[in-house]
Amino acid sequence: MSVFIETTGRGPDVVFLHGWGLHGGVFERQAERLADRFTVHRVDLPGHGHSPLDGAAGPADVADRLAGHFPLPVQLVGWSLGGLIAQHWAARHPERVKSVALVASSPRFVRDDGWPHAQSREAIETVGANLAGAFELTLQRFLGLQLLGAPDARDTLKALKDTLFAHGRPVGLAAALSWLLDDDARPLARDIGCPVELFYGARDMITPLSAGRWLAEALPDATLTVFEQASHAPFLSHESDFAVALVRHLEQHA
């Protein structure tokens, strides 16, 4: 698999996996904070940024391919879709994963009778249609909503804009959206034995806090950290507080 990875810093290896429709550049500010203590790898997932879809068949397939790029044990930080892939990675390749940080993620992104901790299929499909048709405007609005309540929301969004589109328009949105709609990683929870830190925003409507609480109960070794005023992107809206908590987690399990 041809995958674009930006690597900075020095120290133990940390791999960042972004959410649907974005790219590794969204973690630039967090990478800068970590670079003096960790080697940070920011991946463009298949079909996003500079990485072609290259036949990627779903989160499990992507996890297998990425694990091949990092044969030494790493720590994973996965946001939203990236967190879904991180769950597969940790369950399928436990010898290659020291720890996982799941940020506003879930084992299942679609609500059904047995899983109330998600949005409806129709809501996700609507976002997908909007992003595919008006990519830049929809993405800016999406991130603007995630930054509501942040101390410097307007300045943060302004600083992000150049980064957001630096890797071009993603070419695999439809395929990657199907991963969110169809994948169910709940059975994997019992197989993820490494330490997992769960970072959630109490105001998140995409991956509700209840999904994080479910994971905290289902995973063998998990800790839940809640940002009371945050939504779906606490690493952006509460950048400093998130960085402190993440560094604490990473250093504990490096």
Side-chain angles (χ1 to χ4, degrees):
M1 178 178 69
S2 175
V3 61
F4 180 81
I5 302 172
E6 290 182 289
T7 299
T8 56
R10 58 185 180 182
D13 293 287
V14 179
V15 179
F16 278 80
L17 306 173
H18 60 80
W20 182 79
L22 286 153
H23 56 76
V26 74
F27 293 118
E28 181 176 21
R29 292 159 74 98
Q30 289 295 327
E32 291 172 351
R33 290 175 174 270
L34 296 176
D36 62 338
R37 305 181 225 191
F38 299 93
T39 301
V40 179
H41 309 276
R42 289 178 289 142
V43 175
D44 281 5
L45 294 174
H48 295 75
H50 293 316
S51 294
L53 186 61
D54 202 19
D61 182 36
V62 174
D64 289 345
R65 297 186 189 200
L66 289 176
H69 282 270
F70 297 98
L72 297 177
V74 299
Q75 294 178 278
L76 302 177
V77 182
W79 172 45
S80 198
L81 169 61
L84 181 61
I85 293 168
Q87 291 170 67
H88 282 274
W89 191 337
R92 296 167 69 87
H93 305 278
E95 73 286 355
R96 298 187 181 185
V97 179
K98 294 180 181 178
S99 76
V100 176
L102 297 180
V103 185
S105 191
S106 179
R108 178 71 171 146
F109 280 79
V110 176
R111 185 172 67 235
D112 57 35
D113 291 341
W115 183 253
H117 318 299
Q119 290 185 304
S120 68
R121 176 175 292 268
E122 293 74 20
I124 297 173
E125 290 174 338
T126 297
V127 172
N130 290 338
L131 194 54
F135 174 64
E136 294 190 10
L137 179 60
T138 302
L139 188 55
Q140 289 181 18
R141 287 177 175 173
F142 169 76
L143 287 177
L145 288 173
Q146 308 318 314
L147 291 169
L148 285 177
D152 302 303
R154 184 174 298 179
D155 291 340
T156 300
L157 185 59
K158 183 178 179 180
L160 278 171
K161 282 183 179 179
D162 289 341
T163 299
L164 289 178
F165 310 115
H167 293 197
R169 183 188 178 93
V171 296
L173 289 183
L177 185 65
S178 72
W179 305 344
L180 287 176
L181 291 171
D182 299 335
D183 199 76
D184 187 348
R186 284 175 289 177
L188 300 180
R190 63 180 179 270
D191 298 324
I192 301 175
C194 67
V196 179
E197 185 78 22
L198 305 162
F199 296 97
Y200 281 77
R203 297 181 176 184
D204 193 344
M205 301 299 290
I206 298 173
T207 51
L209 178 56
S210 57
R213 289 178 175 146
W214 185 93
L215 281 166
E217 291 293 327
L219 291 164
D221 184 2
T223 304
L224 177 62
T225 297
V226 179
F227 297 88
E228 295 294 340
Q229 303 303 314
S231 183
H232 191 57
F235 67 97
L236 295 176
S237 62
H238 295 71
E239 181 182 314
S240 296
D241 290 343
F242 177 87
V244 169
L246 179 61
V247 167
R248 183 169 59 242
H249 162 76
L250 293 174
E251 290 187 335
Q252 183 178 358
H253 304 295

